[in-house]
C-alpha cells in the first residue's frame, strides 16, 4: 500500500496508477440542500449596499458563484413578477 500524496489516504495497489481495491463511503455528501426562499434571502442580502458577495457567501457556507447565480435567478423572477403584475393591472382596467 502506498500513501497518495494528494488525498493523504492509503491506496491498495501499485504506484503505476492502478488500484486493486476501492472503498465507497456511504452517508451524507456534505452538500446542503437550500430552499428557494433561503437562496432568495441570501441573494437579497448580497444586494445590500456596501456588502461584498464573498463575505455573504462565506457567512452562509456557499461559494460566491452560487450567490451570483442566485442573484441572477432572483432578478429573472422579479422581472417575470413585474410583467405579470402589469398584465393583471391592464386586464383589471379593461374589466371596469
Amino acid at each position: 500500500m502506498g500513501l497518495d500524496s494528494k488525498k493523504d489516504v492509503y491506496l491498495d495497489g501499485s504506484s503505476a496508477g492502478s488500484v486493486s481495491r476501492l472503498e465507497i463511503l456511504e452517508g451524507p455528501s456534505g452538500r446542503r440542500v437550500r430552499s428557494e426562499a433561503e437562496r432568495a434571502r441570501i441573494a437579497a442580502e448580497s444586494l445590500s449596499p456596501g456588502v461584498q458577495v464573498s463575505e455573504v457567501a462565506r457567512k452562509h457556507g456557499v461559494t460566491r458563484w452560487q450567490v451570483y447565480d442566485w442573484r441572477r435567478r432572483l432578478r429573472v423572477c422579479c422581472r417575470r413578477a413585474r410583467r405579470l403584475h402589469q398584465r393583471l393591472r391592464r386586464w383589471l382596467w379593461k374589466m371596469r
Side-chain angles (χ1 to χ4, degrees):
M1 285 206 255
L3 180 65
D4 183 13
S5 61
K6 293 181 183 175
K7 301 284 185 182
D8 292 332
V9 296
Y10 284 95
L11 299 176
D12 184 15
S14 69
S15 61
S18 65
V19 177
S20 60
R21 186 183 69 179
L22 177 67
E23 287 186 50
I24 308 276
L25 301 176
E26 294 184 25
S29 65
R31 291 180 147 193
R32 180 166 175 193
V33 179
R34 297 180 188 274
S35 67
E36 287 291 326
E38 189 176 6
R39 288 184 232 165
R41 187 181 53 74
I42 293 170
E45 181 182 337
S46 74
L47 293 169
S48 299
V51 173
Q52 290 186 347
V53 173
S54 58
E55 290 175 1
V56 173
R58 197 174 305 115
K59 175 182 170 184
H60 295 285
V62 298
T63 67
R64 61 189 171 132
W65 301 114
Q66 285 176 301
V67 177
Y68 284 128
D69 185 52
W70 297 342
R71 286 168 57 156
R72 181 186 56 78
R73 291 179 187 198
L74 183 62
R75 280 193 301 269
V76 168
C77 185
C78 287
R79 274 189 234 127
R80 287 181 184 159
R82 198 175 310 122
R83 277 183 279 185
L84 181 60
H85 182 257
Q86 290 170 349
R87 281 189 226 147
L88 182 59
R89 283 180 53 193
R90 277 187 245 131
W91 182 77
L92 289 173
W93 183 259
K94 290 178 183 178
M95 297 303 288
R96 287 178 146 184

